[in-house]
Amino acid sequence: MSTTETKRGKDTANDAVREFPWWLLAVIAFLVVMAVVIVTQPDFNRAFMFIKGNPGSLEDLGRGGFWAFIGQGITITIAITLIAFALALLFGLLAGLGRINRHFVPRNIAIFYIEFVRGVPTLVLIFTVAYVLVPGLAGLLGIPTGSINSAVRAIVALAVIYGAFLAEIFRAGIESIPRGQMEAARSLGMTYGQAMRHIILPQAIRNTLPALGNDFIAMLKDSSLVSVLAVRDITQQARLYAGSTFRFNESYLVLTFLYLSMTLALSLLLRVLERRLGKNV
Amino acid sequence: MYKSDDIIVVDGLHKYFGHIEAVKGVDLRVRRGEVVIIVGPSGSGKSTVLRCINHLEVPTHGAVYIDGVHLEDKKTDINKVRAEVGMVFQQFNLFPHLTVLENVTIAQRMVRKRSREEAQEIAMEQLRHVGIPEKADAFPRQLSGGQQQRVAIARALAMNPKIMLFDEPTSALDPEMIKEVLDVMLLLAREGMTMVVVTHEMGFARAAADRVVFMDEGRVVEVATPTELFNNPQHERTKLFLSKILGH
Ligand SMILES: Nc1ncnc2c1ncn2[C@@H]1O[C@H](COP(=O)(O)OP(=O)(O)OP(=O)(O)O)[C@@H](O)[C@H]1O
Ligand SMILES: [Mg+2]
């Protein structure tokens, strides 16, 4: 009796050890050590100040400039991610709706877009969109190409790329809603558009929120690729700093620290949001 | 061409799904205020015929007229016709993200263009009609199957339809909830609603039906009053089917 009980006690203790998120502890430890190093080591501190983008000191926060305090590099990374993701949501929704349209013209346009993007490496697409598609569209619209800065090109490129991924998420979300929902709405006389907007999409989007969150984090990371367009995000800042000072350890450890803290914070935030939404479903 | 008292006319209906011919030439006329029950074995095409009546399925050949309006005509505004034809499904198909009240008002507001107040007033009236006004603020998942199906009926009735279609409305219900739904349907029949009902509830058929249609293998085999059809079926296939479901 007592032996089995102690054995069971040991098993639950073992389970607790096995279930504990050690990886999270390790990640947090890395971040804490990095933070301490950045504060205490002048070499790291200089790299940090440069990469996040000057100006960006405590005095800036004192003067009320939050984004100035955060630094130009981080501001650009966050702004590009947010704006490009918002645009990608729009492209993705349109392409996802086109993908399931019963008319062959919108369906084929949507599939062409999705498959085209999926067949080309992200980095190559960034060049193609920034240097071919954007100038081409600008030419059609009569906008002088020179007036379009590289940040705008970067945003369009990321939005086009992620729109194709989000389209598949939206499509899967819409197709996860039972057919009876559309039929019930149509049988009441609602149009396809009304049924989609008020009956199907509200349910579908709730189902897709976890996947959208993951893609938002992925986009934050992929925004580093736009440094190839010389947009001065944190990646570009790190490359510039490393290139001019040859302090590679400092530059790239600080850069890694910045991305990891942002993605970790985001994924923890998303988990909380998901749990809260889960309760309401 | 058609007598005006035939509110539903199904004319030479054929429906293929790929190579399967689910409906092989069905003619059916329903008069205003009539209650028609469709019975038949699984796969005989009952649902397909019903779904062609509100154009959820498009006939391969043949025509359906609702109140003289030809559904397959390109110029027909199908949403306008559907607003006049309520449908109740086996799986209820309530909108899970909306409250009961919103379920019953949403189409009124969008299709009938009623104001919020008017739609809510009509919704409450119909929820009282089906006996669950107290559930107006609940979400569908908080209701029993029988209650959900009664909300689905109220949702359809709130559009003030001329016709109500029911596709096995009690088949997904636990036995103790079947009666509450059949009682509501019986009430509707007594009030003079035109109804086409696919069901195997023979007690309901006897009490409510003007005519019973027996279908088998995509065709109408026999049409008669419930008493005639149940007591004195004319065709072998009808006898066989009835003996199976009535258990004698
Ligand atoms: N969407 C569809 N795609 C392919 N085949 C279908 C579809 N809907 C129905 N069928 C086929 O058509 C035939 C008739 O189906 P229907 O649903 O009308 O029969 P039913 O009499 O309502 O049967 P049940 O009592 O099982 O509901 C069946 O063979 C069915 O498999
Ligand atoms: Mg059926």
Side-chain angles (χ1 to χ4, degrees), chain A residues 68-248:
Chain A
F69 168 66
I70 289 290
Q72 211 176 34
I74 296 180
T75 305
I76 287 176
T77 290
I78 292 175
I80 284 183
T81 305
L82 281 176
I83 298 169
F85 197 75
L87 262 181
L89 284 173
L90 183 70
F91 292 172
L93 189 57
L94 289 175
L97 288 172
R99 181 77 179 68
I100 55 163
N101 204 294
R102 59 200 172 88
H103 296 290
F104 73 96
V105 176
R107 197 173 61 238
N108 275 282
I109 293 175
I111 297 175
F112 168 78
Y113 164 52
I114 293 163
E115 294 300 328
F116 193 106
V117 168
R118 288 212 300 196
V120 181
T122 309
L123 188 56
V124 176
L125 270 173
I126 286 178
F127 285 126
T128 312
V129 173
Y131 295 125
V132 182
L133 186 70
V134 169
L137 282 178
L140 281 178
L141 297 172
I143 304 166
T145 309
S147 73
I148 301 172
N149 70 27
S150 51
V152 172
R153 293 169 195 246
I155 286 167
V156 175
L158 284 176
V160 166
I161 293 163
Y162 271 76
F165 297 136
L166 298 188
E168 288 296 81
I169 292 177
F170 282 124
R171 180 186 63 84
I174 291 168
E175 285 179 347
S176 74
I177 305 303
R179 240 178 56 166
Q181 291 289 306
M182 179 57 91
E183 289 183 348
R186 297 306 305 274
S187 78
L188 291 163
M190 291 165 78
T191 64
Y192 178 85
Q194 287 172 331
M196 191 49 90
R197 160 126 169 55
H198 296 279
I199 305 301
I200 307 299
L201 282 180
Q203 299 181 56
I205 287 174
R206 182 173 288 186
N207 290 350
T208 57
L209 283 180
L212 291 180
N214 284 338
D215 266 32
F216 183 72
I217 292 175
M219 178 175 285
L220 176 68
K221 292 187 290 176
D222 275 354
S223 75
S224 67
L225 292 170
V226 304
S227 61
V228 298
L229 302 177
V231 174
R232 298 191 72 164
D233 72 329
I234 50 177
T235 304
Q236 177 67 359
Q237 292 287 96
R239 288 171 51 184
L240 289 175
Y241 191 73
S244 60
T245 62
F246 300 104
R247 294 204 172 269
F248 295 103

Side-chain angles (χ1 to χ4, degrees), chain B residues 1-214:
Chain B
M1 184 170 164
Y2 296 106
K3 283 182 295 180
S4 65
D5 54 346
D6 284 334
I7 189 168
I8 302 173
V9 176
V10 176
D11 196 13
L13 177 69
H14 290 256
K15 176 66 185 180
Y16 285 86
F17 292 106
H19 293 293
I20 303 170
E21 190 176 14
V23 179
K24 303 171 182 169
V26 163
D27 299 299
L28 180 70
R29 282 159 180 256
V30 179
R31 288 188 305 276
R32 225 171 275 277
E34 201 178 15
V35 176
V36 172
I37 308 275
I38 304 179
V39 297
S42 180
S44 57
K46 307 179 298 290
S47 296
T48 307
V49 168
L50 202 68
R51 290 159 58 84
C52 283
I53 295 176
N54 70 353
H55 209 68
L56 281 181
E57 298 292 355
V58 183
T60 313
H61 301 294
V64 178
Y65 299 84
I66 300 296
D67 223 354
V69 178
H70 183 191
L71 298 195
E72 293 78 26
D73 188 333
K74 285 258 178 326
K75 279 171 293 203
T76 298
D77 180 355
I78 193 64
N79 298 314
K80 219 170 134 191
V81 179
R82 282 185 179 140
E84 308 291 335
V85 183
M87 183 152 193
V88 176
F89 302 84
Q90 185 175 345
Q91 299 299 338
F92 329 135
N93 295 343
L94 291 182
F95 307 133
H97 62 301
L98 301 179
T99 64
V100 164
L101 189 67
E102 289 164 342
N103 263 275
V104 186
T105 52
I106 187 165
Q108 292 189 63
R109 301 204 52 205
M110 269 173 212
V111 181
R112 291 284 192 222
K113 309 284 181 217
R114 289 173 184 154
S115 71
R116 178 189 299 273
E117 292 70 32
E118 192 188 3
Q120 287 184 350
E121 204 171 295
I122 292 169
M124 287 313 297
E125 190 183 304
Q126 290 304 339
L127 287 174
R128 279 192 292 274
H129 198 172
V130 301
I132 34 173
E134 73 280 5
K135 296 291 184 187
D137 295 323
F139 280 90
R141 76 192 122 86
Q142 299 167 320
L143 305 184
S144 72
Q147 291 172 329
Q148 289 193 47
Q149 193 60 299
R150 285 189 282 153
V151 172
I153 294 173
R155 177 175 72 177
L157 289 175
M159 301 297 286
N160 306 109
K162 295 180 200 152
I163 298 167
M164 285 286 285
L165 308 175
F166 295 83
D167 192 356
E168 306 206 33
T170 58
S171 298
L173 295 177
D174 294 335
E176 69 271 20
M177 294 171 188
I178 292 177
K179 187 175 178 299
E180 67 186 58
V181 171
L182 291 179
D183 283 347
V184 170
M185 292 168 61
L186 204 54
L187 177 67
L188 283 181
R190 300 247 158 89
E191 289 167 354
M193 177 62 78
T194 307
M195 292 162 63
V196 181
V197 184
V198 175
T199 183
H200 290 154
E201 294 292 335
M202 293 305 145
F204 172 76
R206 280 182 197 278
D210 296 301
R211 283 186 296 155
V212 179
V213 175
F214 173 64

